[in-house]
Amino acid sequence: MDYLRFSKYLSISILIVSLLIYIIGDPIEKLLAYQGPVIGGGILGWYVLNSVSRDKIIEEENGDRAPVTAILLRKYALLGVIIGILMIIPWLAPTLFVLEETVQPLYILSFTSMAIGGFLIGYVISSFKFIEKVILYSLGFVGDILYFFVIYVASQLFGVPQLEVVNYVLLMVYGVKFPEGAIFGFYIIKRVNAI
């Protein structure tokens, strides 16, 4: 399977679907659709780095295979992740989201900023060693669960019943986070040669 081509089409599809949700979705759908530009941008960033270095792969002593570009970027990788996170996190504040509801151009800025932040993280993720990727993913997973809790608590700001918010959150957990966790778990198992 050509993972590079698949990742390109997957990222574009995720970005298009998320953009549609940002345009026509209700407030809770828009709040939970933040994963779209972040994940879509992240996959696109990974695709760009790996397609540029397609024929320039280095295998290190511990068996990690990484593009040459990723190795060269290694000392700047943490800075890339921090900048990416700083471009994403402000847009997740419920109070800013309420402002976005009244000032529509902020939606465009929000979507663009989160997609660029995701792109930066995806671009430098190949620079990290295996255990560093596991730690980053785990922190991201915990952050997402905390964000779902914040949305539940802040649901009164949007005039949406908490039961409806619970339904959306469960849909996100089982529809997005569970498959995401399963894929990452499979990656870990395969990486440590357990299968």
Side-chain angles (χ1 to χ4, degrees), residues 52-72:
V52 166
S53 301
R54 182 188 288 248
D55 302 320
K56 300 170 187 143
I57 304 291
I58 290 179
E59 186 161 340
E60 302 180 85
E61 303 114 22
N62 60 358
D64 280 341
R65 290 172 50 83
V68 172
T69 311
I71 302 296
L72 296 173

Side-chain angles (χ1 to χ4, degrees), residues 102-122:
T102 54
V103 185
Q104 293 296 317
L106 282 178
Y107 270 130
I108 298 167
L109 186 58
S110 165
F111 186 89
T112 306
S113 180
M114 288 197 279
I116 292 171
F119 181 90
L120 277 173
I121 294 169

Side-chain angles (χ1 to χ4, degrees), residues 128-160:
F128 289 100
K129 295 179 180 170
F130 171 71
I131 193 66
E132 294 167 337
K133 290 177 189 173
V134 170
I135 291 168
L136 278 175
Y137 175 77
S138 302
L139 290 173
F141 189 82
V142 169
D144 285 340
I145 300 302
L146 289 174
Y147 180 64
F148 294 157
F149 179 72
V150 168
I151 291 174
Y152 176 75
V153 170
S155 61
Q156 292 86 3
L157 283 172
F158 318 111
V160 178

